[in-house]
Amino acid sequence: MMAVRSSRLAGFGHSVPERRVESSEIEFALGLEPGWIEQRTGIRYRHWAVEGETLSGLAAGAGDMALDDAGVDRADVALTLLATSTPDHLLPPSAPLLAHRLGLRNCGAIDLAGACSGFLYALTLADGFVRTQGRPVLVVAANILSRRINPAERASSVLFADAAGAVVLTPSTDPDAGLRGVDLIADGSGYDLISIAAGGSNQPFGPGIGAEDCLMTMRDGREVFSRAVDMMTTSSVRALGQAGFAPQDITRFVPHQANKRIFSAVCDKVGILPAKTVSTIADYGNSSAATIPLSLSIANRARRFDGDDRILLAAAGAGMTGGAVVVAF
């Protein structure tokens, strides 16, 4: 029996709806000047689901690609973790349906609600499971945020997109591979900065609940920006220290694609060269938890990760929750 010393990121996948929406379409609807969105966010395009497309279907596309890329036997996958803020239904969770769609018959499955940081939390939990159980885990992050956007609210309608990304973690005997540094952080004082008011037990559906109460709102975009930069910077420095790496040791920085100005500021504060940043925001927008695994998959297709790679992942989002992870290959 193999002595498991770490987990290894063995497969990557991503999926987006076919419909691509240009920023100019949203600018026209909101009465904004041409180029306004790209200038402030870095977003030119985003993908939005059409009627009939489901969260579990989008997630399955990314999961299927990651499983094939990893080359694992689907009968060996022991756990599926789905990080999402937009499940198919409030109940039941979507992960069991996702596992069923992927033919994972000997597999546990559960949803995780961590907003934009959900993938990093799921990745950390998956790493612990692989280390203790010695079996592969599928981690998928997926969102259909276009159905939670208030088209009249500029702060959120210009940003959010639909996408899915996935990774497969497998057991490894190499103690120097896998998650070398992890720092997770939360600050509930910013709990209501980004929210969907209705639908939870605190404000259930019923009389007096309007359609706008079921859509996303961003109360203070400048405050979100400032807190996100601070959280991602703090966690990145801590994770690098835990891994024993300096910023110059990082070969690729894969941040949450919230806003190009946010991750540019984090690069500057942490000391990572901008050229090392994997940026997908121009073509895919902000799909919350899905942006990091989507970016990993796209980067891996452009140049496959190898033993020389040391990557830094960082995110911050609603809650406020955040974190950073250093991964070695």
Side-chain angles (χ1 to χ4, degrees):
M1 182 176 179
M2 182 177 68
V4 178
R5 302 294 299 278
S6 64
S7 67
R8 182 175 71 92
L9 272 64
F12 304 86
H14 66 280
S15 177
V16 297
E18 288 188 13
R19 182 190 175 200
R20 190 173 77 159
V21 179
E22 296 189 24
S23 288
S24 58
E25 179 179 332
I26 300 172
E27 288 163 347
F28 179 79
L30 292 172
L32 301 172
E33 294 181 2
W36 188 95
I37 294 175
E38 183 177 1
Q39 180 182 351
R40 287 162 176 79
T41 69
I43 301 171
R44 291 194 296 265
Y45 309 98
R46 77 279 293 138
H47 291 255
W48 283 354
V50 299
E51 185 177 357
E53 290 185 294
T54 64
L55 184 283
S56 55
L58 189 63
D64 196 54
M65 180 177 173
L67 289 164
D68 287 347
D69 185 50
V72 300
D73 187 332
R74 299 193 183 204
D76 292 337
V77 177
L79 180 63
T80 295
L81 299 177
L82 173 59
T84 184
S85 299
T86 60
D88 284 338
H89 303 94
L90 289 177
L91 190 73
S94 298
L97 179 59
L98 170 61
H100 175 73
R101 284 175 176 262
L102 293 172
L104 304 176
R105 302 291 184 250
N106 303 312
C107 181
I110 192 171
D111 291 5
L112 296 173
C116 297
S117 303
F119 174 73
L120 296 187
Y121 280 76
L123 186 68
T124 302
L125 294 172
D127 173 67
F129 186 95
V130 173
R131 288 172 181 266
T132 58
Q133 302 300 314
R135 295 179 63 191
V137 174
L138 171 66
V139 179
V140 182
N143 282 296
I144 296 183
L145 293 167
S146 62
R147 293 173 185 162
R148 290 295 192 177
I149 292 171
N150 182 344
E153 188 200 55
R154 185 176 67 185
S156 59
S157 62
V158 303
L159 291 173
F160 292 109
D162 307 340
V167 299
V168 175
L169 277 70
T170 58
S172 172
T173 59
D174 183 357
D176 294 325
L179 275 62
R180 294 287 303 275
V182 174
D183 184 77
L184 303 177
I185 189 171
D187 181 4
S189 68
Y191 182 74
D192 62 347
L193 286 171
I194 306 172
S195 65
I196 297 174
S201 59
N202 188 49
Q203 192 172 346
F205 299 120
I209 300 299
E212 290 187 0
D213 296 318
C214 303
L215 301 175
M216 188 184 310
T217 61
M218 187 180 300
R219 183 170 59 82
D220 187 336
R222 290 184 178 180
E223 181 70 10
V224 170
F225 185 101
S226 176
R227 287 184 182 236
V229 171
D230 288 346
M231 293 180 83
M232 291 171 67
T233 299
T234 298
S235 281
S236 294
V237 171
R238 289 176 181 171
L240 285 166
Q242 186 183 120
F245 294 155
Q248 57 266 31
D249 296 325
I250 295 300
T251 57
R252 282 188 262 189
F253 174 44
V254 187
H256 166 47
Q257 309 285 303
N259 181 312
K260 188 174 183 179
R261 293 186 300 148
I262 289 178
F263 56 77
S264 293
V266 175
C267 273
D268 183 59
K269 288 177 176 292
V270 176
I272 294 176
L273 294 175
K276 294 183 177 182
T277 300
V278 175
S279 177
T280 59
I281 194 169
D283 292 326
Y284 297 98
N286 178 354
S287 54
S288 188
T291 68
I292 290 180
L294 177 140
S295 298
L296 283 169
S297 179
I298 291 172
N300 187 63
R301 290 180 70 178
R303 180 182 70 77
R304 195 159 188 89
F305 295 116
D306 60 34
D308 293 327
D309 274 310
R310 305 289 183 268
I311 65 174
L312 172 65
L313 317 175
M320 299 278 295
T321 62
V325 174
V326 177
V327 181
F329 285 83

